[in-house]
Amino acid sequence: GSAPASTGKYFSTHAPFLGENNNECLSGFDNVGGIVVPARAADGSVIDVSRRMEEFLHQQLAVGNFPVVHGVFGGKTGVRDMIMPGSIEQGDVSLGVVDACQGRFTAGELQ
């Protein structure tokens, strides 16, 4: 559900506090778009998505959008993005979100 939820899309016929619903997206998210970059290739090997996310960031900034870039740090299968996204100008220009995936990291990795 992360990919549809990140653009305000419902991914189920039921939602918390609403129960059953047939809405396609949250109010106010009608013009929000996004991309999904797969973490694995067809053969199951891990893909380094850092270059693709950097391209996305610059493409969106170039057209005046406010990009939100999501990085995974500690997925359930051990996958981690090689570079964690930062926020530009303290989040005034773009927002980097680091997903700690239920805390799947060591205390030494916490910075």
Side-chain angles (χ1 to χ4, degrees):
S2 293
S6 69
T7 56
K9 307 283 186 293
Y10 286 100
F11 53 90
S12 175
T13 57
H14 292 73
F17 309 112
L18 290 179
E20 187 173 355
N21 94 79
N22 294 317
N23 298 329
E24 290 190 26
C25 69
L26 295 170
S27 176
F29 278 73
D30 300 323
N31 296 318
V32 174
I35 64 166
V36 175
V37 180
R40 294 188 182 272
D43 67 0
S45 61
V46 175
I47 299 171
D48 179 0
V49 299
S50 57
R51 180 179 295 146
R52 179 65 187 104
M53 295 314 296
E54 187 73 15
E55 291 169 359
F56 168 79
L57 175 69
H58 291 293
Q59 288 167 350
Q60 297 306 306
L61 291 172
V63 296
N65 288 335
F66 181 88
V68 178
V69 180
H70 175 256
V72 174
F73 191 79
K76 64 184 168 235
T77 61
V79 174
R80 289 186 177 174
D81 288 322
M82 303 304 282
I83 298 172
M84 291 299 115
S87 297
I88 299 175
E89 294 185 23
Q90 292 78 42
D92 290 338
V93 175
S94 75
L95 181 65
V97 177
V98 177
D99 187 341
C101 302
Q102 296 84 39
R104 293 185 185 105
F105 52 86
T106 66
E109 293 171 314
L110 184 60
Q111 297 181 39

